[in-house]
Amino acid sequence: TVPESGTNVVFDENSFSSARSVVLVDEAVYVGNLTATNANFAFSGDGNLNVSGSINVDGNADFGKLRGTLVFSASDNNTINLQSAVAGDVVIDGGNWTLASDFETEGNITLKSGSLNTNGHNVTCAVFSATKNAENLNIENSTIVCDSWFTNTAENLTVKAAGSTIALKNSLLTDFLKAEGQHYNIVKNNSAEKVVYSISALPEKTSCPTNAIEGTYVHNGKVTITVGNGIDPFNLLILKLGVLNNKL
């Protein structure tokens, strides 16, 4: 039975008559709080699961077969304790969301609006992005492992990143150059091989200033730096005029 919109949903050891039952989500479902403790079952289907309250799901429940989008949308403060990997995309669209456990999805994570606080927990996803209505992103003391990172269109995004690490698989460092005013801590390539990035910028001077990027400055406006196994991790501070300071 599909619950009415905003209904709090609870699964426990008495919810199913057989082990590894399946809850089919084949259309958009809207719930308030979602709780699953000691319930051995799996979510499946292509429908979107929209959650407007806190989610508290232990490792007995399986979200790995839910191919629809998991949407967190609210106007208040809520927590996300989801101890199962997610298969589909995840969207945060309004409200203030705080992680209470590590979070992993095979899909993308999009901070569309509102705020996300990883609360020192680690996050794994394909693409992490924030759009123009995103407000706050706190990844302090967390490690984010993702293929790519795009927050450059989030014009009003406030970022707190002390003690954090962003480990990229595919994304170029130029993605961070486009993100004006966003201060990140350690950003590294997650590959075992050395990767060379070329970053284009309009030169203000004909020589590389002492507090600029470690690398080679040439007069055509390109700065080449080596990351991964090439140099030690460094902090990124992207200023409004596009100047990238090395914070070693």
Side-chain angles (χ1 to χ4, degrees):
T1 302
V2 177
E4 292 184 9
S5 179
T7 300
N8 295 333
V9 175
V10 177
F11 298 99
D12 59 23
E13 63 273 17
N14 299 314
S15 297
F16 305 100
S17 59
S18 60
R20 224 52 184 165
S21 297
V22 174
V23 175
L24 181 62
V25 182
D26 57 359
E27 60 182 84
V29 175
Y30 297 84
V31 302
N33 296 330
L34 176 60
T35 304
T37 54
N38 301 317
N40 195 339
F41 74 102
F43 278 102
S44 181
D46 298 318
N48 293 347
L49 178 58
N50 300 267
V51 181
S52 61
S54 293
I55 182 170
N56 183 21
V57 176
D58 66 19
N60 293 297
D62 181 10
F63 274 70
K65 298 179 178 63
L66 181 63
R67 296 176 296 277
T69 300
L70 180 58
V71 181
F72 296 105
S73 181
S75 58
D76 55 356
N77 301 323
N78 292 284
T79 59
I80 301 172
N81 178 21
L82 180 53
Q83 299 179 31
S84 168
V86 178
D89 293 337
V90 177
V91 174
I92 296 174
D93 190 9
N96 303 311
W97 298 87
T98 300
L99 295 187
S101 62
D102 291 350
F103 193 92
E104 179 180 355
T105 177
E106 297 176 9
N108 304 325
I109 296 178
T110 302
L111 179 57
K112 187 175 180 181
S113 65
S115 303
L116 172 63
N117 183 353
T118 58
N119 197 28
H121 295 287
N122 300 328
V123 176
T124 302
C125 64
V127 177
F128 189 100
S129 64
T131 61
K132 65 178 182 178
N133 292 323
E135 298 173 9
N136 298 286
L137 175 61
N138 186 336
I139 58 172
E140 291 182 334
N141 302 312
S142 296
T143 296
I144 316 296
V145 179
C146 57
D147 293 337
S148 304
W149 182 279
F150 297 104
T151 58
N152 51 291
T153 62
E155 300 170 354
N156 300 310
L157 181 66
T158 299
V159 176
K160 294 183 178 180
S164 67
T165 298
I166 299 174
L168 301 171
K169 298 178 183 178
N170 298 323
S171 191
L172 295 178
L173 208 56
T174 47
D175 298 330
F176 288 87
L177 280 177
K178 299 173 184 176
E180 293 184 359
Q182 297 174 20
H183 185 189
Y184 294 94
N185 189 46
I186 294 175
V187 181
K188 67 179 184 179
N189 185 270
N190 208 35
S191 171
E193 299 179 356
K194 182 166 63 176
V195 178
V196 177
Y197 293 115
S198 294
I199 304 175
S200 297
L202 292 175
E204 226 180 329
K205 299 180 180 179
T206 57
S207 61
C208 188
T210 57
N211 65 339
I213 301 174
E214 177 74 16
T216 303
Y217 186 95
V218 291
H219 289 208
N220 63 3
K222 291 185 178 179
V223 176
T224 300
I225 64 173
T226 305
V227 299
N229 291 342
I231 60 173
D232 291 334
F234 51 85
N235 295 341
L236 298 179
L237 176 59
I238 301 170
L239 304 178
K240 187 171 183 180
L241 294 179
V243 179
L244 181 63
N245 287 340
N246 189 354
K247 303 290 288 184
L248 282 172

